[in-house]
Amino acid sequence: MRVQSLTLAAASAALLAPTVPPATVQIRVQQAPAAWRHTPVTAAALLARARPCVQVSRGRYRTDVGRPADIRVCGTRDAVYWKADLDIDCDGRPGPRCNGDTDPAFSTATAFTQSDGRHLSAERVPYIVVPAASRIWDHRRHGIRGGSVAAVVYRDRVQYAVVGDIGPKGIIGEASYATAAGLGIRPDPQGGGVSSGVTYIVFKRSLARPVQSRSAAVTAGERLALKFMTGR
C-alpha cells in the first residue's frame, strides 16, 4: 500500500541553493572529469559495501502501514543507506503517466523544487523519498537534503537519483516513477513497485545541480559511489 508523500509547506517554497551549507559538495556536469563515466561502480560492489550496518537511526521504520518496523538506517563517513521496498511516487508536475487519474494519491507538489522553482516531475526525474525528520531519524543531521545524490540498487541495476520528496515520519521505501523505470521495476503507481530488495544509498553533503538533470545525478553519483567504495 502506497502512503502519499507529505509535502512540507515551508520546503516547497524554499529553493535548494540558498539552503545549502558551506560544507555541501556542489557538483556540476561540466566540472566532472570524463573518466568517471568509464569506471562505474557495479551494483554487486555497492551491495557488498552496504551489507554491514552501523545503525544511525534511533529506531526502525515500516515499509507500509501495518507492516513491522524493521528497517534500519545505516551509515558510514560518506553515506547513509537502508534496504526496503519501493513504492511508486508519482507526485509533482502532472504528465501522461503521473496525474490525478492514474494515481488516486497524486499531489502536484514535491517537497523540493528544481532550479527554475517548479516542482519536480516524477516521470522525468529519478528521485527518492526520505522520511520526515523525527525522533527515529533526522536526515538533515547527516548532511542529507533536497538535491542530495543517491544510488538506488535493485538486482544488477544502479539508478542514480536525487532526494526529491519527503514522506511520512514512520515509513520508508519510496521513489519516483522514473527511478523505478530505470531499475526495471514496474512504475505503475497503482500496483507497481516491489515489496523488498531495494537498497538506497544517499551520499552525505552532496548536491546535484541542476537538481532535475539526470546527467548531473549520474556524473555526481558515479564519483561519489567510488568514494563510498574506497573511503577516499
Side-chain angles (χ1 to χ4, degrees):
M1 177 191 303
R2 180 192 164 208
V3 178
Q4 183 179 0
S5 296
L6 301 181
T7 301
L8 303 183
S12 64
L15 296 178
L16 292 176
T19 61
V20 178
T24 299
V25 178
Q26 299 183 5
I27 302 175
R28 298 177 183 273
V29 177
Q30 63 267 30
Q31 296 175 337
W36 296 117
R37 298 253 177 192
H38 304 294
T39 56
V41 176
T42 66
L46 285 171
L47 290 175
R49 179 68 180 87
R51 188 170 294 120
C53 178
V54 175
Q55 185 170 332
V56 296
S57 58
R58 295 179 62 181
R60 302 191 181 197
Y61 287 95
R62 304 177 191 276
T63 56
D64 294 291
V65 175
R67 300 291 298 171
D70 56 4
I71 306 298
R72 301 179 293 171
V73 177
C74 311
T76 66
R77 181 184 65 180
D78 300 312
V80 295
Y81 51 92
W82 57 91
K83 301 174 185 179
D85 64 343
L86 191 152
D87 292 328
I88 307 300
D89 186 339
C90 247
D91 293 343
R93 300 206 320 274
R97 299 174 183 84
C98 289
N99 54 65
D101 294 327
T102 62
D103 182 5
F106 178 73
S107 169
T108 58
T110 48
F112 304 106
T113 54
Q114 56 186 42
S115 59
D116 59 5
R118 294 190 298 169
H119 293 285
L120 301 176
S121 166
E123 293 181 20
R124 298 181 178 182
V125 180
Y127 69 73
I128 69 167
V129 180
V130 295
S134 70
R135 293 184 63 185
I136 300 176
W137 180 58
D138 186 344
H139 57 276
R140 300 169 301 183
R141 295 182 180 226
H142 295 267
I144 308 301
R145 62 198 68 249
S148 289
V149 181
V152 189
V153 186
Y154 180 65
R155 295 181 176 172
D156 61 347
R157 295 195 185 189
V158 179
Q159 173 65 61
Y160 291 105
V162 296
V163 173
D165 211 353
I166 291 179
K169 291 182 178 180
I171 303 292
I172 204 167
E174 190 173 359
S176 70
Y177 182 105
T179 302
L183 292 170
I185 295 171
R186 183 184 172 205
D188 186 352
Q190 298 190 66
V194 289
S195 60
S196 63
V198 179
T199 299
Y200 301 77
I201 304 168
V202 191
F203 303 108
K204 297 179 179 180
R205 299 172 297 278
S206 64
L207 181 64
R209 286 199 163 188
V211 65
Q212 68 272 20
S213 170
R214 284 174 176 257
S215 59
V218 171
T219 299
E222 289 181 348
R223 183 173 184 175
L224 292 164
L226 186 60
K227 182 180 178 182
F228 173 63
M229 294 295 303
T230 62
R232 293 182 293 179

